[in-house]
Amino acid sequence: MIVLHGYTGSGNCYKPALAMTQLGIAYQWREVDILKGESRTPAFLAKNANGRIPLLEVKPGRYLAESNAMLCFLAEGSALLPADRWARAKVLEWLFFEQYSHEPFIATIRYWVAIQKSAEANAAKIVDMRPKGYAALGVMETQLLKTPFLAGEVYTIADIALYAYTHVADEGGFDLTAYPALRGWLARVAAQPGHVTMHDAAAT
């Protein structure tokens, strides 16, 4: 069985867990407490030299890091990752957007505020980074005014990747009131067959 090494409450860990649940892929969740340094132990570093979660143990001794790489691996051959060359490229476009323009701001601020409880210590950084997070939400809003899902008419791993931290953006102090199309999309993603919450995904 696939083992997902992750931290409960992490959006990056939630992505492959949600995808596997929706694809009917059995997996076991193995908790790694990043606040206690468990991803930096010699044993963990032997599995992922980057010392980060999530880590997908496809089979004993075979590990895959990086959440969006996991999504591509898991969704191969399914409707969540189109076979058409252009449609697939559009999905990948959103995966790169998530890692470069969205996650560094929205996820990082949420981590400081809601998980690490270090908002005061990082106050200046938060003030600087928050507009960049809102800019990413604005890009999503523009697309979602045109199509029901980010890469077009159908639900894909692009939606899983962006949903993970967008649906908990409020935990980092982001106000989604001004983004009605985005809020509608959040509801559509949550209504997809096999959807599970972030915490339920970690209970497997």
Side-chain angles (χ1 to χ4, degrees):
M1 180 182 291
I2 289 176
V3 176
L4 178 58
H5 302 261
Y7 178 72
T8 301
S10 163
N12 280 330
C13 299
Y14 177 43
K15 295 176 197 176
L18 176 56
M20 286 190 284
T21 301
Q22 294 186 309
L23 289 166
I25 300 172
Y27 69 95
Q28 177 186 353
W29 180 281
R30 191 161 296 167
E31 188 76 9
V32 179
D33 192 336
I34 56 175
L35 298 181
K36 294 180 179 178
E38 291 180 358
S39 67
R40 308 299 302 180
T41 64
F44 191 88
L45 290 170
K47 299 172 184 176
N48 179 14
N50 200 25
R52 302 183 68 178
I53 52 164
L55 184 65
L56 195 70
E57 188 173 350
V58 179
K59 61 182 182 180
R62 191 172 190 180
Y63 303 100
L64 181 64
E66 301 300 333
S67 60
N68 288 350
M70 295 174 199
L71 290 179
C72 291
F73 171 76
L74 294 165
E76 184 67 40
S78 78
L80 292 179
L81 183 59
D84 175 79
R85 184 180 179 185
W86 177 255
R88 178 179 288 235
K90 296 304 288 184
V91 169
L92 293 175
E93 181 180 55
W94 283 106
L95 297 187
F96 298 140
F97 166 85
E98 190 266 345
Q99 286 291 283
Y100 185 78
S101 300
H102 183 283
E103 194 265 1
F105 309 113
I106 293 174
T108 300
I109 292 175
R110 172 184 175 259
Y111 177 75
W112 287 334
V113 172
I115 297 178
Q116 196 179 55
K117 310 295 185 184
S118 62
E120 185 175 350
N122 291 287
K125 292 179 183 178
I126 291 173
V127 169
D128 178 63
M129 293 166 59
R130 194 175 296 284
K132 298 172 185 176
Y134 277 119
L137 296 174
V139 171
M140 295 171 67
E141 178 75 8
T142 297
Q143 179 61 38
L144 293 165
L145 286 168
K146 303 172 186 176
T147 56
F149 297 101
L150 288 168
E153 298 298 317
V154 298
Y155 176 71
T156 68
I157 57 172
D159 301 291
I160 293 176
L162 271 300
Y163 179 83
Y165 282 113
T166 303
H167 87 289
V168 289
D170 64 305
E171 295 179 6
F174 287 93
D175 183 358
L176 303 185
T177 303
Y179 305 92
L182 187 148
R183 288 186 282 110
W185 165 78
L186 289 175
R188 286 191 293 278
V189 172
Q192 292 300 304
H195 182 86
V196 289
T197 68
M198 182 180 284
H199 288 275
D200 285 346
T204 298

